[in-house]
Amino acid sequence: MQEAHSVLGPASPQAAAIAHLAWIFFGVAALVWLAVLGSLTVALLRPHGLGERDVDPQLTRRHRNVVSGALGLSAVALLVLGVVDYSTGRGIETPRAATPDTVRVRLIGRQWWWEIQYEQKTPPYRVTTANELHIPLGRPVVLTLESSDVIHSFWAPSLHGKSDLVPSYSSEFVIQADKPGVYRAPCAEYCGAQHAKMMLLIIAQPADSFAGWYANEMRDAPTPPPNVARGQEVFRTAACPFCHTIRGAATGGSVAPDLTHIASRMTLAAGTLPNRRAELAAWIANAQGPKPGNRMPANLVSGGDLNALVDYLGTLR
Amino acid sequence: MTATRAPAPLPPHEETFARTWASPRGVAGFFTSVDHKSIGLRFIATALLFLALGGALALTMRTQLMRPDNHLLSPQLYNQFFTVHGTTMMFLFAVPAMMGLGVYLVPLMIGTRNLIFPRLVAYSYWVYLLGGLFLYSGLLTGNGPPAGWFSYTPLSELTFDPTKGSDIWAQTITFTEISMLCVAVTLIITIFKQRAPGMSLERIPLFVWSILVTSFMVVFAMTTVATASFFLAADRLVDTRFFDERNGGDPVLWQHLFWLFGHPEVYIIFLPGTGIVSHLVTTFSRRPMFGYTAIVFATIATGIISFGVWVHHMFAVGLPQLGLSFYSASSLIVTIPTAIQLFCWIATLWSGRPQWRAPLLFVLGFFFILVRGGLTGVMLASVPFDLQAHDSYFVVGHLHDVLIGGAVFPLMGALIYWYPKATGRLTSETAGRWAFALLFIGQNLTFFPMHILGLHGMPRRVYTYLASSGWGNLNFLETIGAYILALGVLVTVANLVLSAFFGSPAGDNPWAADTLEWATTSPPPPGNFPAIPVVWDRDPLWSQTDPSERSVVVGLRADRREVLFTTTLDAVPVRRLSLPGPTIWTFWAAIGTTIGLVMLIFTPWGLVVGSLLAATPLIVWAWPKAGGSE
């Protein structure tokens, strides 16, 4: 599936409004640029009748009129652009009242991954996942943006502009996708060593497949079949649960991505690697290789244990 | 002390004059000189050195980004490189280069013999140089600042940067702010009080106007960032928690303080560029500037409005909508004064007789690139569009258009244009044209595609990108462009160095220009003007073409470093003033300042030690001597 991340390829009403505005700006800017450079070219290439240092009062008067006219035009153009711009801004503003079909998600920026918490009014009240945000098509999704460390910024170019995730502040941002697809949302505020590898994937899917995904996501991890039970034991006894949680298997820390349904995700480490068996094993063995500086420490799992662990994680769909 | 039209007025004691104003020779002279010309040239040469260093960092980064998933630089090193690149270009290259040009040119253009506080300017050069070396010593010892040239908190706080990197960054800022503030204050007073008799406000050369407005902006903007960098250093050193949100501080406060400086900073770099363009346009179209008064008011208006636009760097932070609209509107309005200047230059060229010399080519490059950068700037003033473009490569393209087109191109033109004044020799016209061609092609090839990349979702400040992003081809093209740009800088530097030996002799006024710096010899003697010129109009050398018939002031003493004080508005002579001569104590004061600021990254006692070490030489240097002003 082609992953989209373009300002000029909008897939939502907000991004479409901004793309429309952008094209107006590009058009006006191109005209102004051509006019300025054109008059400069004519000024330089026209035959010059005056002698050195002479001033022709009539020409000066004409210049004053032309320059004043050009200034007036510029002011009018700016005013028009300002009005168009302001009304576009009002159009994409975050609506205050939520509609009944609104999906509410807390999105927490962390160095260097995204924690995602779906909020609902019934138990378990909160469903936690990481780095891949599934949303239903055509419904507004209210993101509550927070940060647990430094400033990050949420930016899905095909869906909307940016909104920063500032520690101690909490802000709301509404997105919506009208076309199914996978939209990239790289962190847009410089946030340290691995700012470059902090990608959120937004998967927009039709209502029924979203419902299916969500129902699965609510469930705890299944009891492992006997052939991979050893992997679960490795997970529990190694250092993993200090930071990671697998609901139903090992309630651990929450400073690293929740792994309850890790096998259902497309990528590892916030878009760094494709989620395949070999990459997962390599990542666990040496996370500092593909993403130097990230917070996952070296660990002592290797050989048969590593194989068992990867087999087990592969069942967590 | 009267203005005369006496033919060939020789100063009474020309030898005495030369002896009085001469700087000591050799090594001692290097450390003690207070001649604005040697200090100004040092500022410019040092700034060009930092341009080369910052450029080398940029070239390495571009090589890293040439293809996806490249491994030339580690993320840590890449992040230090872009931090030091930005810090270098803004604080160690652009502002010192422009202010250095002001230090060199202003006294010559307004017809005086030295700056009002020559020792303060000598001191500020050493502080600037030592501050720049300090930053690079950090990078070389593995302590390069990693938090970006904007050093956003909390990323730059101790929790997230436990290295010495951000301390070094904060102190580098303090170094350069001390330096630039001293220079700005000196330039303001010199321009107000030391203009040649008759050079009333409406006859001040436009470059001097731009430096005057810039200096005022430096006074207000640099104090803001010096406060911010001091707060940050204090947060890190003594746990003051100005920006620590968990203890009542606020990380967004940093952004306000930084951009309240940061946006005027752009105009601090750009306005001297416009001043340069005004002179190049006048000289090479052989026409007095059309709309002089409009340009002066546009310059002042830009200076004022630029202090009201900083929030357009913060549209995505989540501030209230109404506030954003205000800053959006002011960011649109700030383009009007620039439009005035552009139209006036075109009108001047329209009626003129353009002479196709290398400096004029740089003016054309300025138009081509700056107008583009200005128009993308208008787009960024729009809140909705900025929410998309902000912190993407679109902004990288925009800012390099504005800064390279608006400041570097005029500066390159200025170097060629005023080179004969400083050295007595012309640069090579052929080399100048080659340099222009390379810089022009390189700039466009490097920075135009960045706009497209930004619109296709490439964020800034990334050390690498995935192959699947589809950004590889344009990045490759940009890297080629960066190498062409670097080649252009090399040709320029070679041209400047070689022309000092092989350039053809220039004479006093090789371009037949109109302003006072061309009235004295090339290079000017120590003390610039054995006889202070008198000005009757805006283009003194065009109305008084015969050097033997130029009006001068007589009656200043030659055995002291005397300058003429004139009134601020009309430049009517009011008194003579003796300026101080060479001293080594400015150097020692700078060393004391440096020891203090460097110690401060380790211990608060640096404040005590540094104050004492800087204060002692300051007292010695300012100790009154017998025979002051009259």
Side-chain angles (χ1 to χ4, degrees):
Chain A
M1 197 180 327
Q2 180 62 39
E3 294 165 3
H5 49 88
S6 173
V7 174
L8 303 177
S12 76
Q14 291 90 351
I18 298 178
H20 182 70
L21 179 70
W23 283 113
I24 295 177
F25 271 121
F26 297 154
V28 175
L31 282 179
V32 173
W33 190 84
L34 284 174
V36 172
L37 270 289
S39 43
L40 178 70
T41 312
V42 177
L44 288 166
L45 298 183
R46 68 189 280 274
H48 293 84
L50 285 179
E52 296 218 339
R53 297 166 207 157
D54 285 352
V55 175
D56 174 358
Q58 211 179 345
L59 192 63
T60 308
R61 209 170 314 121
R62 207 159 59 227
H63 279 169
R64 197 173 302 144
N65 294 340
V66 172
V67 167
S68 311
L71 265 181
L73 264 181
S74 315
V76 171
L78 281 178
L79 196 68
V80 171
L81 285 180
V83 170
V84 174
D85 161 34
Y86 183 76
S87 62
T88 307
R90 290 304 298 265
I92 61 169
E93 240 174 79
T94 300
R96 282 167 208 282
T99 51
D101 63 343
T102 300
V103 182
R104 300 196 73 91
V105 183
R106 276 177 86 205
L107 185 62
I108 303 166
R110 293 173 178 272
Q111 281 181 324
W112 292 276
W113 59 283
W114 304 86
E115 182 166 333
I116 298 161
Q117 299 175 351
Y118 288 83
E119 296 179 323
Q120 59 179 49
K121 295 214 164 61
T122 50
Y125 301 111
R126 180 173 285 177
V127 178
T128 303
T129 178
N131 296 333
E132 286 176 20
L133 175 65
H134 288 247
I135 61 173
L137 275 182
R139 275 166 65 186
V141 178
V142 178
L143 301 175
T144 305
L145 303 177
E146 290 166 17
S147 167
S148 70
D149 38 51
V150 300
I151 302 175
H152 304 277
S153 192
F154 170 83
W155 181 36
S158 303
L159 301 183
H160 207 320
K162 291 173 199 70
S163 192
D164 288 355
L165 292 74
V166 185
S168 85
Y169 287 78
S170 170
S171 62
E172 289 201 339
F173 197 60
V174 181
I175 59 167
Q176 180 179 326
D178 290 343
K179 293 179 201 160
V182 178
Y183 302 101
R184 290 187 179 187
C187 175
E189 182 63 69
Y190 175 62
C191 57
Q194 280 299 343
H195 166 58
K197 293 187 175 172
M198 183 172 165
M199 175 96 77
L200 175 71
L201 293 179
I202 300 173
I203 297 122
Q205 51 201 152
D208 50 342
S209 77
F210 172 76
W213 173 84
Y214 190 74
N216 180 57
E217 203 68 14
M218 278 208 293
R219 283 194 281 276
D220 286 352
T223 311
N227 59 330
V228 296
R230 181 167 160 233
Q232 190 185 53
E233 212 40 48
V234 173
F235 182 88
R236 282 178 173 155
T237 52
C240 312
F242 284 122
C243 308
H244 294 283
T245 286
I246 296 175
R247 276 179 281 128
T251 305
S254 59
V255 298
D258 182 294
L259 302 178
T260 310
H261 299 285
I262 182 173
S264 69
R265 295 186 200 144
M266 296 160 67
T267 67
L268 295 171
T272 307
L273 300 168
N275 188 7
R276 292 185 298 236
R277 194 181 191 284
E279 276 82 1
L280 181 58
W283 172 260
I284 296 170
N286 177 24
Q288 294 302 318
K291 195 170 173 178
N294 87 79
R295 301 276 189 246
M296 176 138 157
N299 60 66
L300 299 172
V301 181
S302 59
D305 281 354
L306 181 59
N307 267 326
L309 179 59
V310 174
D311 286 342
Y312 167 61
L313 292 175
T315 64
L316 300 178
R317 300 207 59 85
Chain B
M1 212 171 64
T2 47
T4 65
R5 278 186 175 278
L10 271 180
H13 317 291
E14 202 160 321
E15 262 191 48
T16 324
F17 176 82
R19 204 167 42 244
T20 305
W21 284 92
S23 298
R25 289 172 187 283
V27 180
F30 185 75
F31 285 100
T32 61
S33 173
V34 291
D35 186 337
H36 76 95
K37 295 186 291 299
S38 54
I39 298 170
L41 291 180
R42 269 183 224 172
F43 262 115
I44 296 170
T46 311
L48 290 177
L49 174 74
F50 282 119
L51 170 71
L53 289 173
L57 294 177
L59 214 52
T60 320
M61 291 190 288
R62 280 285 6 135
T63 312
Q64 158 76 11
L65 293 177
M66 186 160 66
R67 49 198 182 82
D69 295 315
N70 204 357
H71 289 289
L72 178 70
L73 290 172
S74 71
Q76 289 84 358
L77 206 54
Y78 183 93
N79 294 342
Q80 292 181 20
F81 272 28
F82 82 66
T83 303
V84 176
H85 166 76
T87 309
T88 301
M89 292 310 196
M90 296 302 252
F91 294 100
L92 301 177
F93 160 63
V95 182
M98 292 304 186
M99 295 306 262
L101 198 62
V103 165
Y104 183 85
L105 283 176
V106 162
L108 289 165
M109 283 187 165
I110 64 174
T112 190
R113 291 169 171 175
N114 206 353
L115 296 163
I116 182 75
F117 305 133
R119 290 181 171 180
L120 193 62
V121 174
Y123 164 79
S124 63
Y125 171 73
W126 296 116
V127 171
Y128 154 60
L129 175 68
L130 292 166
L133 295 179
F134 180 50
L135 177 68
Y136 276 84
S137 69
L139 189 63
L140 289 177
T141 55
N143 284 300
W149 87 278
F150 45 94
S151 241
Y152 271 14
T153 54
L155 189 61
S156 57
E157 294 270 25
L158 209 51
T159 321
F160 298 102
D161 175 23
T163 70
K164 286 287 170 211
S166 289
D167 298 291
I168 291 174
W169 182 85
Q171 296 306 72
T172 301
I173 302 311
T174 309
F175 270 105
T176 51
E177 302 326 327
I178 292 175
S179 166
M180 289 300 114
L181 276 171
C182 293
V183 173
V185 168
T186 307
L187 285 169
I188 290 172
I189 301 178
T190 305
I191 294 169
F192 274 158
K193 301 307 298 179
Q194 277 178 242
R195 300 197 307 276
M199 189 182 280
S200 46
L201 283 186
E202 79 279 9
R203 292 177 189 161
I204 297 179
L206 285 167
F207 177 74
V208 178
W209 264 116
S210 72
I211 287 289
L212 179 65
V213 175
T214 303
S215 298
F216 270 106
M217 294 174 68
V218 166
V219 169
F220 292 109
M222 300 267 173
T223 40
T224 312
V225 75
T227 308
S229 68
F230 172 76
F231 282 1
L232 178 61
D235 262 18
R236 296 177 55 91
L237 184 69
V238 291
D239 214 5
T240 45
R241 304 174 177 179
F242 284 107
F243 307 115
D244 179 1
E245 75 282 358
R246 285 158 305 176
N247 289 288
D250 191 339
V252 179
L253 171 65
W254 168 267
Q255 299 189 20
H256 283 293
L257 286 174
F258 188 80
W259 292 118
L260 178 53
F261 142 83
H263 206 82
E265 164 86 350
V266 176
Y267 290 96
I268 285 171
I269 295 167
F270 170 62
L271 283 183
T274 67
I276 292 167
V277 169
S278 291
H279 283 252
L280 299 182
V281 165
T282 308
T283 299
F284 293 102
S285 66
R286 324 238 33 90
R287 195 76 44 199
M289 180 57 64
F290 169 85
Y292 169 96
T293 316
I295 289 187
V296 170
F297 278 107
T299 308
I300 297 171
T302 307
I304 293 169
I305 300 172
S306 71
F307 278 88
V309 300
W310 80 90
V311 173
H312 73 222
H313 295 268
M314 301 168 62
F315 282 162
V317 171
L319 302 172
Q321 204 71 36
L322 185 65
L324 299 190
S325 309
F326 173 80
Y327 290 98
S328 173
S330 61
S331 307
L332 290 172
I333 289 168
V334 76
T335 54
I336 291 278
T338 304
I340 294 178
Q341 302 206 47
L342 290 169
F343 297 157
C344 288
W345 291 322
I346 293 177
T348 308
L349 287 165
W350 192 284
S351 66
R353 291 177 159 266
Q355 304 198 315
W356 294 96
R357 307 298 295 267
L360 186 64
L361 295 180
F362 281 98
V363 172
L364 305 187
F366 161 90
F367 265 92
F368 190 94
I369 298 164
L370 175 90
V371 175
R372 185 174 73 210
L375 289 165
T376 50
V378 170
M379 301 178 198
L380 293 174
S382 147
V383 178
F385 183 79
D386 182 74
L387 289 180
Q388 284 284 21
H390 178 70
D391 273 339
S392 78
Y393 258 80
F394 188 91
V395 174
V396 183
H398 158 75
L399 79 94
H400 285 91
D401 272 5
V402 172
L403 293 175
I404 296 183
V408 176
F409 271 67
L411 184 70
M412 293 295 166
L415 289 178
I416 297 174
Y417 178 67
W418 278 295
Y419 188 86
K421 181 47 63 184
T423 63
R425 290 177 185 277
L426 289 160
T427 56
S428 154
E429 179 71 18
T430 316
R433 287 172 186 223
W434 271 103
F436 167 75
L438 291 168
L439 289 170
F440 183 75
I441 294 169
Q443 201 282 346
N444 284 294
L445 206 54
T446 311
F447 297 108
F448 185 71
M450 287 188 183
H451 299 88
I452 302 168
L453 277 179
L455 294 173
H456 284 99
M458 182 164 173
R460 293 173 80 171
R461 299 160 186 146
V462 290
Y463 75 95
T464 190
Y465 50 91
L466 297 170
S468 61
S469 62
W471 300 326
N473 290 341
L474 284 179
N475 271 293
F476 186 80
L477 195 69
E478 287 167 8
T479 304
I480 308 250
Y483 278 92
I484 297 175
L485 196 59
L487 198 62
V489 175
L490 275 184
V491 172
T492 307
V493 170
N495 188 13
L496 294 179
V497 173
L498 294 178
S499 297
F501 304 101
F502 306 112
S504 48
D508 291 359
N509 191 358
W511 314 109
D514 59 335
T515 38
L516 281 183
E517 76 272 26
W518 304 104
T520 183
T521 53
S522 305
N528 299 347
F529 299 95
I532 304 275
V534 176
V535 171
W536 305 95
D537 53 24
R538 218 171 266 162
D539 311 286
L541 299 202
W542 283 354
S543 54
Q544 309 174 53
T545 38
D546 182 355
S548 63
E549 293 201 343
R550 285 180 194 147
S551 322
V552 295
V553 175
V554 293
L556 270 72
R557 285 174 68 158
D559 58 345
R560 285 189 197 158
R561 295 186 165 221
E562 278 199 342
V563 295
L564 198 58
F565 243 45
T566 53
T567 55
T568 307
L569 298 182
D570 298 322
V572 176
V574 283
R575 64 187 297 196
R576 293 175 291 156
L577 185 79
S578 276
L579 297 182
T583 176
I584 188 69
W585 291 102
T586 52
F587 177 71
W588 292 122
I591 295 287
T593 311
T594 305
I595 292 172
L597 287 177
V598 173
M599 254 183 95
L600 265 174
I601 73 171
F602 300 103
T603 159
W605 287 101
L607 196 63
V608 179
V609 176
S611 303
L612 288 175
L613 284 179
T616 318
L618 279 170
I619 292 168
V620 180
W621 127 26
W623 202 261
K625 289 172 195 62
S629 62
E630 279 177 41

